[in-house]
Structure formats: C-alpha cells, structure tokens
C-alpha cells in the first residue's frame, strides 16, 4: 500500500516521513561500510551517499520528528549490513545494486510525490532523495552496471550477490 500510494501520488506526508526515516537508517548502515571495501572503490563513490539527502528531505517537509525510532525490521537490516555483509564485498554489491536500481524508480516517483506534497521538483523541497542527478539517471545506471560487471568477482560469488539483493528487497518490503 505504501508503494502504491507513492506511485499514485496519494501518500500522506507523515507516512512518507516515516518511510524516509527508516530509509535513512538503512542508507547510513550501508554507507558506513562501503568505503571500507577497497574492491568496491570503482563502483561506489561517497558522492553516491543518500543518507544526507534523506535528512534534508525530512527537514524540508517538516518531518524531522517523523518516527525517528528505528523499527525492528530496519535494525535487522542495519545489523546484517554492519555485521556479516561488512566483511563480504559480494553481499554489499547485492545490496548496493538494489538501492542504486531503485533510483531509476525515482524518475517515475519524483513528479508524483511533488504533486502530492505541492512542492516543485527542485533541491531543498523535500525530494532530494529522488531528484539528485535525475536528468543523468539512465546514464549513471548504465555506468554503474558496466562498472559492476567489471569487478573482480568469481562466478561462484554470484549466489552471494543474488542472496544479498533478495535480502535487501525483503528488508525494504
């Protein structure tokens, strides 16, 4: 229902704020461990971090107080990222793939969210998470995938990447 409401442009600010708050905790967990993996330097740059965008959006929408408590599901995700995944670049790649891929969905969601909240699609209006690099998104996604395919992972690590991607989707759901 939450995803449908975002896609329909009918999501309420408070519900959106609760989602952004949880996404911020998830991104912070991942963004804390990615720089510690030298093998991922080619695919992850600190400029890709989005936890700050989420905080900016919460402030712009007047939702800084929106459910700042980490939900058990979000905590479980963060613990998985900071624990076993932090020592396994293949797992981090699976997670990063899902989160970066979701940025393509932002191309559809951003205008609908702007309409729902009555804000322009400009930086600082509560949509930074979705609109940053929006005009370059297809190019950046292709570039990300090309770089990802060039990483030195063995074929045997494909299952680890896939499992982490599936776990990330499960946590997001």
């Amino acid at each position: 229902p939450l995803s449908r409401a975002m896609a329909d442009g009918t999501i309420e600010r408070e519900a959106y704020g609760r989602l952004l708050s949880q996404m911020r905790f998830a991104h912070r967990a991942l963004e804390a461990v990615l720089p510690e993996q030298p093998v991922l330097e080619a695919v992850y740059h600190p400029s890709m971090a989005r936890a700050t965008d989420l905080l900016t959006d919460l402030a712009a929408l007047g939702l800084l107080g929106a459910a700042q408590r980490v939900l058990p599901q979000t905590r479980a995700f963060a613990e998985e990222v900071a624990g076993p995944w932090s020592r396994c670049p293949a797992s981090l790649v699976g997670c990063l793939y899902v989160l970066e891929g979701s940025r393509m969905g932002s191309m559809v969601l951003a205008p609908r969210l702007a309409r729902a909240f009555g804000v322009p699609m400009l930086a600082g209006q509560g949509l930074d998470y979705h609109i940053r690099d929006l005009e370059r998104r297809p190019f950046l996604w292709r570039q990300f995938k090309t770089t990802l395919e060039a990483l030195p992972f063995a074929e045997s690590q494909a299952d680890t990447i896939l499992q982490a991607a599936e776990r990330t989707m499960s946590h997001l759901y």
Side-chain angles (χ1 to χ4, degrees):
L2 186 64
S3 295
R4 171 60 61 199
M6 286 192 331
D8 291 345
T10 59
I11 192 167
E12 296 178 6
R13 267 183 198 250
E14 292 73 22
Y16 186 65
R18 290 190 300 272
L19 171 65
L20 291 185
S21 179
Q22 298 308 305
M23 290 300 294
R24 180 171 169 260
F25 288 118
H27 276 278
R28 282 178 41 200
L30 182 62
E31 292 162 12
V33 298
L34 282 169
E36 297 171 2
Q37 292 295 333
V39 71
L40 301 181
E41 283 178 347
V43 74
Y44 177 75
H45 306 102
S47 64
M48 295 165 65
R50 297 195 315 165
T52 301
D53 290 342
L54 289 158
L55 185 61
T56 299
D57 289 349
L58 285 164
L61 293 170
L63 299 169
L64 274 178
Q68 292 293 322
R69 181 179 61 85
V70 182
L71 295 175
Q73 301 89 333
T74 307
R75 186 175 311 287
F77 173 77
E79 288 171 356
E80 194 161 10
V81 169
W85 290 5
S86 70
R87 298 177 297 280
C88 180
S91 293
L92 294 174
V93 162
C95 179
L96 184 60
Y97 181 85
V98 169
L99 292 176
E100 280 301 302
S102 75
R103 297 183 83 173
M104 289 298 290
S106 290
M107 295 179 72
V108 172
L109 293 178
R112 295 169 186 190
L113 291 168
R115 187 175 59 247
F117 303 137
V119 298
M121 282 188 21
L122 300 171
Q125 299 297 308
L127 302 173
D128 290 16
Y129 180 75
H130 295 287
I131 66 169
R132 185 162 38 109
D133 298 323
L134 191 65
E135 67 286 345
R136 297 181 53 225
R137 188 72 40 83
F139 167 77
L140 292 172
W141 176 239
R142 282 190 307 274
Q143 183 180 40
F144 174 80
K145 290 190 312 179
T146 300
T147 305
L148 191 64
E149 290 170 2
L151 289 179
F153 287 111
E155 186 67 32
S156 61
Q157 293 174 295
D159 284 343
T160 301
I161 294 170
L162 180 59
Q163 288 170 0
E166 289 173 343
R167 293 276 305 143
T168 300
M169 286 300 296
S170 178
H171 282 296
L172 291 174
Y173 180 73

